[in-house]
Amino acid sequence: MPTNHSRRSFLQTLSLGVGSTLVTSSILANKNLPLVKNQKKLGIALVGLGSYAKNQLAVALTQADNCYLAGIVTGTSSKAEEWAKKYNIPQKNIYNYQNFDQIANNKDIDIVYIVLPNSMHHEFVLRAAKAGKHVMCEKPMSVSVKQAEEMIKACKEAGVQLGIGYRLHFEPFTKEVMRLSQQKVLGDVHFVQTNFGFNIGDPAQWRLKKELAGGGPLMDVGIYCVQASRYVTGEEPLWVTAQFGPVTDKERFTTVEESISWQMQFPGNAMVNGFSSYKSNIEQLYVSANNGWIQLSPAYSYGPLKGRTNQGEMNQPVVHHQTVMLQAICKEFIETNTFPSHTSGEEGLRDMRILMGIYEAARTGKKINLV
Ligand code: NAD
């Protein structure tokens, strides 16, 4: 249930929006302005203007019709200038990492969206919550279970919503896999193979530094495999065993793993094999059930995704993942004042516990209980 605080701030921003309907029709034609007739468009501020923010989320924010890019937070003044011009962002809605907390006083911003390196998510979610803003945060939500718990607590105490950018929950092929497997359309699922890896480029990037990334491919893309095993089975894993792969590039992989494999058992007896790598280009989900199978490949990247079952091709619409995600999240928020529960901070925390369990299993060689 929304708290009084979050309901109050939502109503405040709603009334602000409705009050602004007096603006002229030529201004209303601009997609970056907050109103469509009497309906409030939620103002989103992106924190961190790297490749995901620039190439995906900013695009989504020009395509969704219930939210828009209202503000930016960046440490680079040239980016601030470029983005302000491109997206018609007023100077008063542009922040840097030092003065970010002043966003508390900015009524244009309903939701702050954290798109920084993984280890920075914790700090900025806490600061956004303190500023009284609802928060979306990129995956993985944090670099430890403790951080994830603190992020959830901070948002609860501040009365703000916390969501994790699990875009595939809104993607049609993935939703169809969830339906087929969770509703046992092909019978009980007994085996899942899930692999996601790519050949990483620039050796200087933050993804190869444990202090910024929290780990290697498991944190970055293996998390999609963990998610997949949970949304295919609709269950939480009982235990995990895992192994690090060999380090073949000793200069690049000094602090994070180059690849990792794991095995998990689920309560309905489904077994899952997972693999994630910064060396192999691989992206696949295979679900084996009593009366058939499902395969997605590509399964996790921006698409178009492609799928087959034992009954033939899967026909699903090809969508821009980030647009349908933001559209759905904002729709639910406008209607209920809450973010969707299936992409909540608690969901992110469940993944963090499993990711840390996989690392512990690989490090110790032991079978780690997850319940
Ligand atoms: P990126 O390197 O392209 O961008 C990172 C941004 O953070 C840059 O603007 C950089 O200037 C800024 N930054 C601030 N402090 C920094 C520091 N100390 N070191 C490095 N950069 C710093 O990364 P990205 O690919 O945009 O990833 C950002 C987040 O988004 C990550 O958490 C990542 O996992 C997530 N992501 C999610 C998806 C998805 O499909 N959901 C896809 C890509 C990335």
Side-chain angles (χ1 to χ4, degrees):
M1 282 295 288
T3 64
N4 285 341
H5 174 89
S6 62
R7 184 170 294 281
R8 191 168 57 245
S9 64
F10 175 67
L11 291 175
Q12 272 164 359
T13 46
L14 190 69
S15 64
L16 180 86
V18 173
S20 319
T21 43
L22 295 174
V23 289
T24 66
S25 57
S26 65
I27 298 176
L28 275 178
N30 184 325
K31 275 202 102 174
N32 274 347
L33 282 173
L35 287 166
V36 181
K37 295 188 184 147
N38 284 337
Q39 197 192 335
K40 171 81 169 67
K41 269 186 155 191
L42 298 174
I44 298 187
L46 294 177
V47 184
L49 306 180
S51 67
Y52 192 59
K54 180 177 175 181
N55 301 324
Q56 303 302 332
L57 294 173
V59 174
L61 286 164
T62 62
Q63 292 180 358
D65 65 14
N66 56 8
C67 56
Y68 75 110
L69 183 59
I72 47 176
V73 184
T74 174
T76 315
S77 52
S78 58
K79 280 191 198 169
E81 223 170 279
E82 182 198 330
W83 281 60
K85 215 163 153 191
K86 185 166 180 189
Y87 296 104
N88 196 17
I89 300 168
Q91 204 56 40
K92 70 177 181 63
N93 293 1
I94 300 175
Y95 299 87
N96 58 41
Y97 301 127
Q98 287 72 42
N99 68 14
F100 166 67
D101 311 273
Q102 293 170 15
I103 209 163
N105 306 318
N106 192 328
K107 297 229 170 353
D108 292 350
I109 313 295
D110 300 292
I111 299 169
V112 164
Y113 196 141
I114 316 296
V115 207
L116 291 163
N118 306 341
S119 69
M120 299 172 77
H121 295 177
H122 174 260
E123 175 190 340
F124 280 85
V125 167
L126 262 57
R127 286 170 71 181
K130 201 167 171 207
K133 298 296 176 187
H134 303 289
V135 202
M136 283 295 300
C137 177
E138 259 316 313
K139 44 59 54 179
M141 75 182 283
S142 62
V143 295
S144 72
V145 169
K146 182 170 175 278
Q147 281 189 349
E149 288 169 343
E150 287 170 0
M151 291 155 80
I152 291 170
K153 186 165 177 269
C155 289
K156 255 193 198 127
E157 285 175 0
V160 298
Q161 294 291 301
L162 171 61
I164 312 301
Y166 288 135
R167 59 185 161 75
L168 291 174
H169 282 253
F170 306 91
E171 190 285 322
F173 283 90
T174 311
K175 282 166 72 177
E176 179 62 359
V177 170
M178 290 180 196
R179 185 188 73 82
L180 291 171
S181 46
Q182 288 183 23
Q183 294 182 13
K184 301 186 190 294
V185 176
L186 302 174
D188 288 333
V189 170
H190 52 79
F191 179 71
V192 178
Q193 180 75 43
T194 169
N195 310 314
F196 196 7
F198 66 99
N199 198 344
I200 200 156
D202 179 9
Q205 64 187 287
W206 65 263
R207 282 182 166 80
L208 293 170
K209 296 178 181 145
K210 188 166 183 213
E211 74 274 19
L212 284 165
L218 179 65
M219 296 293 280
D220 192 27
V221 289
I223 188 170
Y224 288 91
C225 304
V226 168
Q227 271 273 301
S229 56
R230 294 180 55 231
Y231 59 64
V232 162
T233 58
E235 298 173 345
E236 299 303 322
L238 297 171
W239 54 257
V240 63
T241 51
Q243 307 78 34
F244 290 120
V247 179
T248 63
D249 182 342
K250 292 200 165 42
E251 274 169 41
R252 202 164 289 214
F253 296 99
T254 53
T255 62
V256 303
E257 76 278 5
E258 182 175 311
S259 69
I260 187 164
S261 307
W262 64 95
Q263 306 77 39
M264 301 196 285
Q265 187 186 336
F266 283 73
N269 289 330
M271 287 301 301
V272 171
N273 263 0
F275 173 71
S276 182
S277 164
Y278 271 159
K279 182 170 187 180
S280 315
N281 283 315
I282 185 166
E283 188 186 334
Q284 172 187 55
L285 170 63
Y286 184 88
V287 180
S288 177
N290 281 347
N291 306 321
W293 51 266
I294 314 165
Q295 180 170 308
L296 285 192
S297 187
Y300 307 117
S301 54
Y302 308 144
L305 304 190
K306 207 166 165 3
R308 282 182 72 76
T309 73
N310 55 303
Q311 291 165 358
E313 288 288 318
M314 283 170 72
N315 289 313
Q316 294 294 329
V318 171
V319 299
H320 183 248
H321 297 188
Q322 293 76 12
T323 303
V324 293
M325 173 185 77
L326 285 173
Q327 181 83 29
I329 289 171
C330 292
K331 179 175 186 289
E332 184 149 340
F333 185 74
I334 287 166
E335 289 172 0
T336 68
N337 214 14
T338 56
F339 286 172
S341 59
H342 53 105
T343 53
S344 63
E346 282 78 4
E347 279 298 304
L349 171 61
R350 287 187 188 107
D351 284 343
M352 286 308 301
R353 290 199 173 113
I354 297 168
L355 294 175
M356 294 304 127
I358 293 173
Y359 277 136
E360 191 186 343
R363 243 183 349 255
T364 61
K366 292 187 176 149
K367 182 174 175 178
I368 302 298
N369 284 323
L370 296 170
V371 288

